[in-house]
């Protein structure tokens, strides 16, 4: 039972005065829908390039604008759900997700595209902390491990389903630049109704005094697990950034595969691998999963680099799955350790700090790849990027082997 952090009164979780209420699986579903909206445009960037005439560097800038939006929200409001409650923040995130979809529906040029990505980043930033905390807190006694997997699977699974859905719709249905966002708006409506039914896990919710940049102050309970967990997340998210930003272009321009459904499926594979890795992480424990995840991530990156060198789609997909498994192992292990170690009154802010480090990995390196593409070409930039992330992942793996996290959930 989750108790109030001020007076110890129990919160309504499974049942309340209104009868039985939804639990963590519904919250995870809301989380997945929200995150799917953030990656919907991924297979469509080639169409936008043809329509608007911008370069590959601009594709990575558009993607980085999304990450900038995420980081901004995590800095300004990453801990706001600890004060106002999880449900109000989820409603706000869903509203921003809908606004982003509308920007793409009525897209009239690059400014609206950028605005849509910024709003999508704002939504993802709010979802990352509030939805993860809500899923963990709605678990009944004995369900904690399942809820931990549900939270990370909803995050990565949602991110993977976005490009798969939009790629299929864009390739085989009418209105390739409209229908994916119309479908997402319908899903947002469903998620809004589900959020309305969710019980609140923060009592008593209250207004925040102000929105100002929060210091990355970590409760002493999490300091033993935060550093290795967050650094491993940084390396894994750098791989995700590579795939969501440039993999569809590589598939189309270098490999000559112009089917948008295939492009979306290639991006989906890295997130599918992540979900598989997360399912394995819970079985082997945090202390083992973190270094093992880094090792498998390195193997995946080597395969990705090989696919760029020999121009092979099967090797690229194999590398995506392998790298995704490594990312998933480390990501779930780290998030579980951090989430369980954080005290309830600081859980949302602590998880947001974890995602802040992760999204630095998904933004800064990707912009560098875009800049390198102008000088080295897509293949040369991808090889350079892979080498850099391999070095980071090896360093992280050695670090967590020497100083493993102290929490082994």
């Amino acid at each position: 039972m989750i108790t109030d952090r001020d007076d110890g009164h129990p919160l309504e979780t499974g049942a309340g005065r209104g009868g039985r209420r939804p639990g963590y699986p519904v919250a995870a579903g809301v989380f997945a829908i929200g995150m799917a909206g953030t990656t919907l445009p991924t297979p469509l960037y080639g169409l936008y390039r043809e329509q608007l005439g911008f370069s590959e560097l601009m594709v990575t800038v558009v993607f980085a604008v999304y990450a900038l939006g995420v980081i901004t929200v995590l800095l300004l409001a990453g801990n706001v759900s600890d004060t106002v409650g999880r449900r109000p923040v989820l409603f706000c995130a869903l509203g921003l997700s809908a606004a982003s979809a509308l920007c793409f529906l009525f897209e009239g040029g690059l400014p609206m595209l950028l605005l849509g990505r910024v709003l999508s980043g704002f939504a993802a930033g709010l979802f990352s902390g509030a939805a993860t905390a809500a899923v963990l807190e709605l678990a009944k006694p004995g369900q904690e491990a399942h809820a931990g997997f549900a939270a990370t699977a909803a995050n990565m699974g949602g991110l993977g389903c976005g490009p798969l859905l939009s790629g299929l719709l864009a390739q085989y249905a009418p209105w390739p630049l409209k229908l994916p966002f119309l479908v997402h708006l319908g899903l947002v409506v469903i998620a809004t109704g589900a959020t309305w039914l969710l019980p609140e896990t923060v009592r008593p919710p209250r207004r925040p005094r102000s929105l100002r940049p929060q210091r990355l102050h970590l409760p002493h309970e999490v300091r033993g697990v935060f550093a290795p967990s967050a650094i491993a997340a940084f390396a894994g998210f750098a791989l995700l950034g590579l795939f969501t930003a440039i993999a569809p272009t590589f598939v189309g321009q270098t490999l000559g595969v112009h089917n948008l459904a295939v492009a979306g499926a290639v991006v989906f594979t890295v997130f599918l691998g992540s979900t598989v890795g997360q399912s394995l992480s819970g079985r082997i424990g945090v202390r083992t999963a973190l270094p093992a995840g880094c090792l498998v991530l390195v193997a995946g990156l080597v395969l990705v680099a090989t696919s760029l060198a020999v121009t092979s789609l099967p090797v690229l997909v194999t590398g995506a799955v392998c790298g995704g498994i490594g990312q998933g192992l480390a990501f779930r292990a780290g998030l579980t350790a951090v989430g369980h170690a954080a005290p309830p009154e600081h859980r949302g802010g602590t998880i947001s700090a974890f995602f802040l480090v992760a999204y630095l990995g998904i933004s800064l390196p990707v912009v560098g790849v875009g800049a390198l593409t102008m000088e080295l070409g897509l293949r040369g930039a991808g090889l350079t990027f892979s080498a850099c992330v391999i070095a980071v992942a090896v360093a992280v793996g050695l670090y967590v082997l020497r100083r493993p996290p102290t929490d082994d959930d």
Side-chain angles (χ1 to χ4, degrees), residues 17 109 123 160 178 231 249 257 261 284 349 354:
R17 287 177 294 179
K178 304 293 183 184
I231 296 171
T249 303
V257 179
I284 63 179
F354 175 85

Side-chain angles (χ1 to χ4, degrees), residues 44-395:
L44 309 179
Y45 285 136
L47 298 179
Y48 285 119
R49 288 183 63 188
E50 294 176 3
Q51 180 175 300
L52 303 177
F54 52 75
S55 67
E56 184 61 35
L57 174 60
M58 186 54 64
V59 172
T60 58
V61 169
V62 168
F63 184 79
V65 164
Y66 156 77
L68 179 63
V70 178
I71 292 168
T72 299
V73 167
L74 291 175
L75 282 172
L76 288 175
N79 59 354
V80 72
S81 73
D82 292 330
T83 303
V84 304
R86 313 300 182 203
R87 292 172 71 244
V89 174
L90 291 178
F91 281 128
C92 183
L94 289 166
L96 289 168
S97 186
S100 172
L102 290 173
C103 286
F104 282 95
L105 278 174
F106 298 104
E107 174 271 319
L110 188 57
M112 286 296 285
L113 202 65
L114 292 171
L115 177 60
R117 293 305 286 155
V118 169
L119 292 174
S120 185
F122 289 166
L126 292 177
F127 275 120
S128 295
T132 301
V135 173
L136 294 175
E137 291 167 350
L138 285 170
K140 297 177 181 179
Q143 295 181 330
E144 292 85 358
H146 295 293
F149 174 66
T152 54
N155 193 336
M156 293 297 112
L159 288 170
C161 287
L164 183 64
L165 173 64
S166 61
L168 289 169
L169 292 175
Q171 184 66 39
Y172 300 115
W175 315 318
L177 295 180
K178 304 293 183 184
L179 188 58
F181 301 100
L182 287 171
V183 171
H184 180 62
L185 281 173
L187 293 173
V188 167
V189 171
I190 295 172
T192 301
T195 302
W196 183 263
L197 298 176
L198 287 174
E200 180 57 71
T201 59
V202 174
R203 293 293 178 89
R206 59 183 186 273
R207 289 185 178 182
R209 295 178 181 176
S210 63
L211 284 182
R212 55 188 177 186
Q214 59 171 328
R215 294 179 299 171
L216 294 182
H217 171 73
L218 299 174
H220 66 87
E221 295 93 337
V222 303
R223 292 179 184 176
V225 301
F226 187 86
S229 301
I231 296 171
F234 177 95
F237 269 58
L239 172 67
L240 301 184
L242 174 68
F243 268 84
T244 50
I246 69 169
T249 303
F250 177 75
V251 169
Q253 293 186 0
T254 305
L255 299 180
V257 179
H258 300 290
N259 186 301
L260 296 177
V262 172
V266 168
V267 177
F268 172 75
T269 56
V270 71
F271 293 102
L272 175 63
S274 176
T275 305
V276 172
Q278 292 164 34
S279 68
L280 298 174
S281 178
R283 301 178 184 179
I284 63 179
V286 171
R287 293 175 65 91
T288 303
L290 270 174
C294 292
L295 176 63
V296 178
L297 177 62
V298 168
L301 285 163
V302 170
L303 287 170
V304 169
T306 302
S307 74
L308 297 175
V310 303
T311 317
S312 170
L313 180 60
V315 177
L316 177 66
V317 172
T318 304
V321 173
C322 183
I325 290 173
Q327 188 274 340
L329 278 167
F331 176 68
R332 184 188 174 190
L335 183 58
T336 299
V338 169
H340 286 179
E345 63 270 22
H346 297 297
R347 184 171 288 126
T350 303
I351 291 172
S352 293
F354 175 85
F355 277 104
L356 174 61
V357 177
Y359 273 99
L360 286 173
I362 210 173
S363 57
L364 300 178
V366 170
V367 178
V369 171
L372 284 173
T373 300
M374 308 300 292
E375 297 294 330
L376 305 178
L378 190 60
R379 183 183 300 174
L383 287 170
T384 303
F385 176 90
S386 298
C388 292
V389 180
I390 286 171
V392 172
V394 168

